[in-house]
Amino acid sequence: MARIIVVTSGKGGVGKTTTSAALAMGLAQKGSRVAVIDFDVGLRNLDLIMGCERRVVYDFVNVINAEANLNQALIRDKREQNLYILPASQTRDKDALTIEGVGKVLDELSKSFDYIVCDSPAGIERGATMAMYFADDAIVVTNPEVSSVRDSDRMLGILASKSRRAEQGLEPIREYLLLTRYAAERVSKGEMLSVDDVQEILSLDLLGVIPESQAVLNASNSGNPVIMDDDSDAGQAYTDVVSRYLGEDLPHRFLDVRKKGLFVRLFGGQR
Amino acid sequence: MQAASSESTAVFELKSGRFTLPNLRLFHTNMDQFADQLEKQVNMAPAFFQNTPVVIDLSQLSGQSTDVDFALLVGLMRGQGMIPIGIRGGTQRQQELAELMELAILSEQQKNEPSKPGASKARIDKKPAANASAALKPQNSKLVSQPVRSGQRVYASGGDLVITAQVSSGAEVIADGNIHVYGTLRGRALAGVKGNRNARVFCHNLQAELISIAGQYRVNESLTEDQMNRPVQISLSGKKLEIQPL
């Protein structure tokens, strides 16, 4: 049985798809069999971030409507042979997603994969509720600013009440907080919420902090998930996130303003 | 398209829904005494019992095998505005009698009540009449141990609401009685919503968007620095909400 992970947030533009791609790639790099599904029907993006947009033939909605089988729709990643992408349909809307249809696809995927990563669309409507309904774990992606935090809180409420696990009275979904686009400098100036502030408001286990980084945009443009960029801070932070998700106990990095270089310390500034 | 047309031809759909219903727990079958107590109980809050569906709980009935006069029982309850819809517990014989009155037989699965059978029995022996109201009341208070998130609403009907976690901004906690929040209260708290002016709000850390007792309210903007971010109790005096540090 696969573990189903939903990457969700409520608010748009916080880094759900970037996180889904990085997490799926990271888990595959560790040797797990991973499928990543784009639930953003009508506004698909995951294929771009994963760099497989030119190989899409069939999509998620085709499989739900039995117009194609899973093997036809799944796109195998060229870099990691254990990683598969199930793209969203761009020509339909979210009404094409039904509980029965999504459940059937996830059931079938569960037989042959270790992890299924569900990339949720923004909002709390159909697409988002379908993405989280069957989840075992939820990664709530949040930016350190008040509106994103409030939307995440709303999403946590929905996770606790409207998921399959909640409705059937099973063990609740495991919820993790992932802070993204964290700019330590702006936090130190009081322009952004700190890690502690966000954790206090949401009272949730912190899975990781991803620093605001130019590397993320570069990764999106090139179609290589940012976790593959070992030299970048964001890439390293995502590597930590995957290890932590798998149970390793690692200290959080990139929380403080980067120390100034030796040169600046010797010659610049007043001390 | 197809889905839309098939939807429009369907006359209804079956869906499951959950309801919290008052349970009338019967201790013995003296119907004169029952009528007296019922009248007193209803007079305390006549509006509350008007057209309220009620389940008759037979699990604590002394003299287990006695026949219950359901015709009289249902008549008395209907006379006070209640709508008896079914029974839970009881012997097979009692269930058959109930079915004759077209009462539903509800399952006895909810075993999560804190009262142990031994303990409640001991109380019954002491003072059965006074105990009936005591046994009904605590059921109405509600305990929540998970955070109440933005967009969620929790309502404790007919009693107190106790929350051992935080209440996020954008959440609403409502009670007919008192509200206790043993965490940070950032959302809205409305106590005594059925007009109980003696209801209070207690919280570990006050950052509420709005607090109301029996309809009198204050918004966050009207709270002062020395009232916020600390444990307080809030009560109603006259037309004003009083906030005192704890």
Side-chain angles (χ1 to χ4, degrees), chain B residues 4 9 20 24 30 40 55 71 89-90 102 104 108 136 149 152 159 178 200 202 212 226 228 242:
Chain B
T9 56
T20 306
L24 189 145
N30 182 336
K40 276 184 206 153
V55 176
E102 302 201 327
E108 195 54 27
L136 274 173
R149 303 284 185 186
Q152 289 185 314
N178 306 310
R200 290 185 181 197
F202 305 85
S212 154
D226 57 318
M228 290 188 42
E242 246 174 38

Side-chain angles (χ1 to χ4, degrees), chain A residues 4-107:
Chain A
I4 301 174
I5 310 165
V6 61
V7 178
T8 188
S9 71
K11 196 171 187 301
V14 293
K16 286 182 294 296
T17 302
T18 300
T19 300
S20 300
L23 179 70
M25 178 60 76
L27 288 168
Q29 283 172 341
K30 298 246 180 191
S32 301
R33 288 178 58 80
V34 185
V36 54
I37 307 178
D38 191 348
F39 274 78
D40 207 347
V41 176
L43 289 168
R44 79 166 181 230
N45 277 325
L46 182 69
D47 52 333
L48 287 172
I49 311 290
M50 294 297 297
C52 65
E53 73 277 10
R54 292 162 63 199
R55 292 193 286 145
V56 176
V57 183
Y58 294 107
D59 58 53
F60 191 18
V61 174
N62 290 139
V63 180
I64 287 175
N65 294 344
E67 294 153 359
N69 65 38
L70 251 181
N71 290 332
Q72 291 174 301
L74 282 172
I75 303 171
R76 187 181 205 158
D77 189 82
K78 283 189 171 167
R79 298 148 297 205
E80 284 295 327
Q81 56 170 358
N82 289 334
L83 177 59
Y84 290 80
I85 298 114
L86 184 54
S89 171
Q90 185 71 342
T91 52
R92 315 289 181 92
D93 60 33
K94 267 103 179 158
D95 293 337
L97 301 174
T98 59
I99 286 217
E100 300 77 36
V102 173
K104 229 175 81 186
V105 173
L106 290 178
D107 266 354

Side-chain angles (χ1 to χ4, degrees), chain A residues 94-263:
Chain A
K94 267 103 179 158
D95 293 337
L97 301 174
T98 59
I99 286 217
E100 300 77 36
V102 173
K104 229 175 81 186
V105 173
L106 290 178
D107 266 354
E108 207 175 326
L109 286 172
S110 275
K111 289 176 197 153
S112 44
F113 287 94
D114 301 319
Y115 293 100
I116 302 170
V117 179
C118 301
D119 180 24
S120 171
I124 51 172
E125 281 79 36
R126 192 167 193 87
T129 50
M130 286 295 146
M132 63 100 203
Y133 186 78
F134 294 96
D136 300 307
D137 300 327
I139 295 178
V140 179
V141 182
T142 308
N143 289 167
E145 50 98 16
V146 283
S147 62
S148 173
V149 172
R150 176 182 284 186
D151 290 358
S152 293
D153 195 62
R154 179 90 170 93
M155 189 44 86
L156 286 162
I158 294 172
L159 284 168
S161 57
K162 296 205 177 135
S163 64
R164 181 183 63 99
R165 282 174 172 267
E167 283 178 3
Q168 297 180 0
L170 305 171
E171 192 186 323
I173 294 177
R174 274 197 284 175
E175 298 158 343
Y176 302 95
L177 171 65
L178 182 68
L179 259 186
T180 54
R181 311 195 67 165
Y182 193 80
E185 190 131 343
R186 301 192 66 182
V187 172
S188 70
K189 286 185 198 155
E191 296 171 351
M192 260 187 187
L193 296 174
S194 71
V195 179
D196 292 341
D197 292 339
V198 178
Q199 258 197 299
E200 206 215 312
I201 298 173
L202 293 178
S203 57
L204 214 60
D205 285 340
L206 183 65
L207 187 62
V209 178
I210 311 297
E212 172 83 65
S213 169
Q214 186 60 42
V216 173
L217 187 59
N218 294 342
S220 301
N221 290 336
S222 67
N224 291 315
V226 68
I227 198 168
M228 298 171 70
D229 187 352
D230 292 332
D231 298 331
S232 70
D233 45 2
Q236 291 171 20
Y238 270 119
T239 306
D240 286 2
V241 163
V242 172
S243 301
R244 261 185 229 115
Y245 174 77
L246 293 172
E248 264 181 72
D249 190 12
L250 296 173
H252 290 284
R253 295 195 274 171
F254 314 110
L255 300 188
D256 301 318
V257 180
R258 213 167 305 162
K259 299 223 168 60
K260 285 182 178 155
L262 182 66
F263 226 57

